[in-house]
Amino acid sequence: MLKPIATLGNPVLRQVARPLERAELALPETQTLIDDLVETMHHANGAGIAAPQIGDSRRIFAVHVQDNPRYPYKPNIPLTILVNPVLELLGSETFDNYEGCLSVPNLRGLVRRSVHVRITAWDRHGNDLAFEAKGLAACTYQHENDHLDGLVFVDRVEDRKTFATWADFDRFHKEAFVERAKALVARYGQ
Ligand code: ZN
């Protein structure tokens, strides 16, 4: 079922989400929540969405990039559901990523992200997952994980002069950013 997306100012976006137990994850209500999360993400053309964004303050997020019209330069990421994720930033290399968020309509801004992360989590059935992500995919995981800690990308924008509406991002910043993004993707393939 499609859920309304909480937008900036909604206190649920500022709560630290709580972890789940495996038994709770297996409940039909929790599985329905995950289905709703995915459906709402797809409907809004999001590259990812976290449970607090649909009003549920538990540590779950979804990522899926499939020829995304909002972010045409992003390499595809298969649908991934992460429960109780833990992200570890690897190395010191960063990328200045122009981010947007379903909870922050019509605003983008530049956020410095690590280009290499290790992720441990459960999948939606409580099975252990462990993998590394690089490049733009690493940035996407960091953005979603921030939502579980009550953080929104605007909190991480160091230079507030980089804020741009989507139309003005396209008009003034997209070309240069896509060049940088393509170079990152060429190095990491994701
Ligand atoms: Zn977001």
Side-chain angles (χ1 to χ4, degrees):
M1 191 170 66
L2 275 183
K3 292 292 179 79
I5 295 174
T7 49
L8 201 62
N10 189 321
V12 73
L13 294 176
R14 295 317 197 164
Q15 291 170 19
V16 176
R18 70 167 176 83
L20 292 88
E21 309 268 345
R22 278 194 169 90
E24 178 188 13
L25 180 59
L27 293 174
E29 302 91 275
T30 311
Q31 293 297 311
T32 299
L33 166 82
I34 293 171
D35 291 338
D36 293 347
L37 196 59
V38 172
E39 187 180 342
T40 304
M41 171 179 68
H42 285 156
H43 183 260
N45 286 323
I49 193 169
Q53 292 181 273
I54 60 167
D56 189 303
S57 191
R58 290 184 288 177
R59 302 187 81 81
I60 305 172
F61 70 71
V63 167
H64 190 201
V65 180
Q66 183 65 51
D67 306 324
N68 190 295
R70 270 165 64 92
Y71 306 98
Y73 49 83
K74 280 194 183 201
N76 290 337
I77 304 174
L79 177 62
T80 306
I81 310 291
L82 298 183
V83 178
N84 297 339
V86 175
L87 263 66
E88 180 189 354
L89 308 184
L90 300 177
S92 56
E93 190 186 343
T94 59
F95 177 71
D96 289 332
N97 191 34
Y98 240 115
E99 300 195 3
C101 179
L102 296 176
S103 293
V104 187
N106 202 21
L107 195 68
R108 299 187 69 155
L110 212 49
V111 181
R112 183 161 299 169
R113 296 290 190 187
S114 176
V115 298
H116 190 183
V117 296
R118 187 199 315 278
I119 299 163
T120 55
W122 297 342
D123 69 12
R124 66 181 293 168
H125 305 296
N127 300 307
D128 289 317
L129 293 175
F131 59 98
E132 293 183 13
K134 292 182 178 178
L136 286 179
C139 301
T140 301
Y141 285 112
Q142 288 164 80
H143 176 114
E144 298 312 327
N145 196 60
D146 274 351
H147 280 299
L148 306 182
D149 291 328
L151 292 170
V152 182
F153 84 89
V154 295
D155 306 335
R156 293 202 185 272
V157 171
E158 291 170 26
D159 181 356
R160 290 188 291 263
K161 291 177 181 167
T162 65
F163 280 124
T165 65
W166 280 70
D168 284 322
F169 169 79
D170 284 353
R171 187 174 170 201
F172 297 110
H173 303 287
K174 185 176 183 179
E175 196 176 329
F177 176 68
V178 168
E179 283 304 306
R180 288 199 301 110
K182 280 182 179 167
L184 185 71
V185 171
R187 289 180 60 201
Y188 291 112
Q190 44 180 316

